[in-house]
Amino acid sequence: MKKRIGDPWISTSDYGALLPQFTVNLIVRSIDLALEFYRKVLQAQVHYSDPDFAALRVLGIEMMLHADHTYEHNPWSASLRGGQTRGLGAELRLLGMNPEEVAERARGMKALFKDVSVRGHGWREVMVRDPDGYVWAVGEIHGAHG
């Protein structure tokens, strides 16, 4: 059941028409808790948020967050209520942020998953985990120091 009071910032059909071909949509327990992570650790620009939904951008990538309760009629509903691990097996990769700076911000939120390292694919990266368990590998091409 939706918790938003009043009209959304934009109609859902108008917003949908603005989205690029690929968009990330994460289902989260708490929009506010998730936004704290995305703002502080990944320096997200938040276009809009309410208790049900948030629209944000991270390094030019449009993202959405939907609260669990907005998926009450979705086949995932029982699993979400049951507390199953979210995102296990998915690694969201973000190229273009200094991994040491991301690691420092993540430590302050107890969100560090794996410290900075150079992986075989040539990225110097850090792995951070949001409050719902989604893991982000964030970094730069090895040798690119900002």
Side-chain angles (χ1 to χ4, degrees):
M1 175 180 297
K2 295 193 179 206
K3 297 181 179 182
R4 180 188 66 240
I5 298 171
D7 294 328
W9 66 308
I10 188 173
S11 76
T12 55
S13 59
D14 286 346
Y15 179 63
L18 294 174
L19 292 172
Q21 287 182 297
F22 180 78
T23 305
V24 174
N25 178 35
L26 300 176
I27 314 308
V28 300
R29 290 176 190 91
S30 164
I31 296 291
D32 288 340
L33 188 60
L35 282 179
E36 182 181 13
F37 169 86
Y38 286 98
R39 279 182 172 127
K40 289 182 179 177
V41 177
L42 297 184
Q43 299 182 321
Q45 173 193 357
V46 178
H47 305 303
Y48 172 82
S49 71
D50 65 34
D52 302 323
F53 170 80
L56 53 150
R57 179 182 294 142
V58 177
L59 279 184
I61 298 166
E62 293 297 325
M63 288 183 54
M64 295 176 280
L65 304 175
H66 279 87
D68 287 356
H69 62 265
T70 65
Y71 272 63
E72 65 187 345
H73 299 295
N74 186 288
W76 294 331
S77 181
S79 296
L80 293 172
R81 281 193 311 273
Q84 290 187 359
T85 302
R86 297 163 192 237
L88 184 62
E91 184 180 279
L92 302 165
R93 304 194 58 75
L94 189 61
L95 179 64
M97 276 190 191
N98 180 294
E100 285 82 13
E101 292 173 5
V102 173
E104 178 140 347
R105 293 190 298 267
R107 278 187 197 93
M109 295 193 67
K110 298 187 180 0
L112 186 63
F113 184 68
K114 183 177 181 284
D115 214 340
V116 177
S117 65
V118 175
R119 302 259 310 262
H121 50 64
W123 283 27
R124 195 176 87 259
E125 68 185 25
V126 63
M127 295 177 86
V128 296
R129 183 171 31 202
D130 82 0
D132 290 283
Y134 299 108
V135 173
W136 290 82
V138 184
E140 299 174 321
I141 301 296
H142 184 58
H145 300 284

